[in-house]
Amino acid sequence: MTGPEFDECDCPENVDASLDRAEPGAGPALLWLVLDESHPAAVVLPRIKRGLRSRDPQTRANALQSLGHFGRLHREIDDESLALLRIALHDRTVLGGYQLRGYADNAAGDIGSFVPRHRLPRWLRRRHAGPWRPRPLRR
């Protein structure tokens, strides 16, 4: 992605503006924001959740990708994001020949693999948890 419309799309204010206007570039802007590790979780996660609530299927798909990246990079997730993910796991909206629940499944797999098991709800651990890693023993 090049061009003037993506020069500063990792800026949180630009992501907010894109989501407010429901622009086609809102989804890619979310991806840029989450992959730019200079932004703290408190800045990134609320915008991902806004993207997950979007009416635009492409924005929701990119928000799901962003949520998976968020879990991988930050190794944490909140209850509201998990609730939105659970809803997305049943989303049969077709985008480019694939249902959005496939994007949600990939995000759940990333979250299950990188967020510690004890922080995940049972429904996610059952289907999407990564390898079990015991907690280190305390002395």
Side-chain angles (χ1 to χ4, degrees):
M1 293 185 299
T2 59
E5 68 273 11
F6 294 107
D7 284 344
E8 298 180 44
C9 66
D10 62 338
C11 178
E13 295 79 20
N14 291 343
V15 173
D16 288 338
S18 293
L19 288 168
D20 289 343
R21 293 189 298 264
E23 293 177 354
L30 275 172
L31 284 166
W32 282 68
L33 183 69
V34 75
L35 292 174
D36 178 6
E37 296 180 36
S38 66
H39 299 293
V43 170
V44 176
L45 197 55
R47 287 159 177 89
I48 292 173
K49 290 187 270 191
R50 283 187 63 200
L52 290 171
R53 291 184 181 98
S54 173
R55 291 180 160 211
D56 179 43
Q58 183 64 59
T59 300
R60 289 198 315 271
N62 291 134
L64 287 164
Q65 291 170 318
S66 298
L67 188 63
H69 288 308
F70 180 88
R72 178 176 52 81
L73 294 169
H74 295 275
R75 300 194 188 300
E76 66 180 66
I77 198 76
D78 70 349
D79 292 338
E80 185 181 2
S81 298
L82 288 171
L84 292 168
L85 175 62
R86 194 170 192 183
I87 292 167
L89 284 165
H90 301 285
D91 191 343
R92 295 179 181 265
T93 304
V94 177
L95 177 68
Y98 299 97
Q99 293 181 0
L100 284 182
R101 66 184 183 167
Y103 290 94
D105 193 61
N106 288 337
D110 283 347
I111 291 167
S113 293
F114 292 100
V115 175
R117 284 177 73 87
H118 65 278
R119 292 186 187 162
L120 299 175
R122 180 174 285 169
W123 65 264
L124 193 126
R125 286 193 316 257
R126 284 184 179 164
R127 283 189 51 204
H128 301 284
W132 188 78
R133 293 177 219 126
R135 293 183 215 157
L137 295 175
R138 294 183 188 186
R139 293 183 186 229

